[in-house]
């Protein structure tokens, strides 16, 4: 019989994860990151803590059917495997950006976050809201990157991208209009059904 000795720190972490609902796939997600990059224990703890505090229900790396770096839904986050081919700092930025949306789901609620995909608000208002939440997520991720750089846990020369700063609002209007048409043709209206549709539309099971 094997005896496992837990340090006080290990015990505190274990108790916290038992009390709080643990994010599904988080262990596998972090192990994938660690196997690809040279990450210190302090950096790993930072990433894990950030994800857990967002109340993210599930997080995973996956092959995507279409080009996108990530997908944030009210019940989880998907990160495209292609991100793992980029430097650690870029991968962390994408993760922070997508997980930042989990904080937005907490703030606004899934009904508010998904209403831009139905006719409850105009296309222009939906586009404004989408760009706003994406810009906030970019800014949030940039702050986390700078925090890690000040802690000397990642390369200080990395400059965070600005994914949505220069995206024309008309481009977002066209995207929302296309997504609304897809959902309407399938009579998909509830937040859970919208989430399932987006998940199955982008994740490649192969």
């Amino acid at each position: 019989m094997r005896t496992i000795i837990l340090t006080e720190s290990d015990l505190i972490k274990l108790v916290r994860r038992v009390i709080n609902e643990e994010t599904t796939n988080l262990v596998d997600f972090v192990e994938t990151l660690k196997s690809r990059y040279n990450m210190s224990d302090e950096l790993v703890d930072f990433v894990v803590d950030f994800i857990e505090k967002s109340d993210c229900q599930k997080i995973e790396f996956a092959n995507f059917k279409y080009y996108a770096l990530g997908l944030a839904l009210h019940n989880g986050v998907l990160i495209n495997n292609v991100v793992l081919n980029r430097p650690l700092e870029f991968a962390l930025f994408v993760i922070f950006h997508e997980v930042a949306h989990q904080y937005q789901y907490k703030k606004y609620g899934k009904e508010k976050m998904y209403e831009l995909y139905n006719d409850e608000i105009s296309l222009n208002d939906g586009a404004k809201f989408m760009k706003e939440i994406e810009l906030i997520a970019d800014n949030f991720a940039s702050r986390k990157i700078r925090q890690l750089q000040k802690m000397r846990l990642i390369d200080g020369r990395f400059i965070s991208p600005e994914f949505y700063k220069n995206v024309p609002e008309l481009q977002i209007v066209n995207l929302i209009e296309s997504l609304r048409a897809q959902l309407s043709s399938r009579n998909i209206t509830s937040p859970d059904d919208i989430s399932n549709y987006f998940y199955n539309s982008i994740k490649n099971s192969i």
Side-chain angles (χ1 to χ4, degrees):
M1 182 174 173
R2 184 182 172 191
T3 301
I4 299 176
I5 301 175
L6 295 176
T7 65
E8 183 179 356
S9 176
D10 291 332
L11 186 59
I12 291 172
K13 290 179 182 178
L14 180 61
V15 170
R16 188 179 73 173
R17 291 185 180 182
V18 170
I19 294 175
N20 300 305
E21 184 177 356
E22 187 173 348
T23 305
T24 304
N25 289 353
L26 181 56
V27 172
D28 291 340
F29 183 84
V30 172
E31 286 302 316
T32 299
L33 271 180
K34 290 169 62 178
S35 68
R36 173 64 182 84
Y37 302 105
N38 181 23
M39 300 175 67
S40 67
D41 289 343
E42 188 177 2
L43 178 55
V44 171
D45 287 344
F46 185 100
V47 174
V48 169
D49 186 64
F50 175 73
I51 295 172
E52 288 181 333
K53 285 181 178 176
S54 75
D55 289 343
C56 180
Q57 296 178 32
K58 181 179 182 180
I59 189 165
E60 60 182 307
F61 286 105
N63 294 320
F64 280 25
K65 296 176 185 177
Y66 309 106
Y67 183 77
L69 296 176
L71 174 68
L73 304 167
H74 75 280
N75 52 2
V77 167
L78 280 171
I79 303 295
N80 195 332
N81 276 324
V82 300
V83 169
L84 295 170
N85 296 324
R86 303 292 295 274
L88 169 63
E89 292 75 20
F90 184 88
L92 289 175
F93 179 88
V94 173
I95 293 168
F96 292 148
H97 174 102
E98 298 302 337
V99 174
H101 289 311
Q102 300 300 291
Y103 288 91
Q104 293 171 334
Y105 279 111
K106 286 172 62 175
K107 177 180 178 180
Y108 296 111
K110 61 184 179 182
E111 288 77 14
K112 172 68 175 177
M113 291 287 284
Y114 285 138
E115 73 176 5
L116 58 89
Y117 300 117
N118 54 45
D119 295 329
E120 292 183 22
I121 60 174
S122 70
L123 282 170
N124 287 334
D125 286 343
K128 285 185 175 70
F129 181 63
M130 176 180 278
K131 184 161 186 177
E132 178 187 357
I133 63 176
E134 294 294 355
L135 288 173
I136 290 172
D138 268 355
N139 183 264
F140 194 83
S142 295
R143 293 203 311 270
K144 288 298 173 183
I145 290 294
R146 289 196 297 271
Q147 184 178 348
L148 289 175
Q149 289 172 327
K150 289 179 180 178
M151 296 167 67
R152 300 183 183 276
L153 295 178
I154 60 174
D155 190 344
R157 297 167 296 179
F158 176 76
I159 299 174
S160 296
E162 295 177 303
F163 290 145
Y164 288 90
K165 181 179 180 180
N166 297 314
V167 175
E169 198 167 296
L170 179 59
Q171 182 177 328
I172 301 176
V173 167
N174 292 336
L175 171 62
I176 294 174
E177 189 172 30
S178 173
L179 293 173
R180 284 186 180 185
Q182 294 175 43
L183 295 169
S184 177
S185 67
R186 294 164 176 80
N187 197 29
I188 296 174
T189 58
S190 74
D192 288 335
D193 289 341
I194 291 173
S195 175
N196 289 334
Y197 176 75
F198 287 160
Y199 181 89
N200 292 323
S201 293
I202 202 166
K203 182 180 178 181
N204 193 336
S205 58
I206 298 176

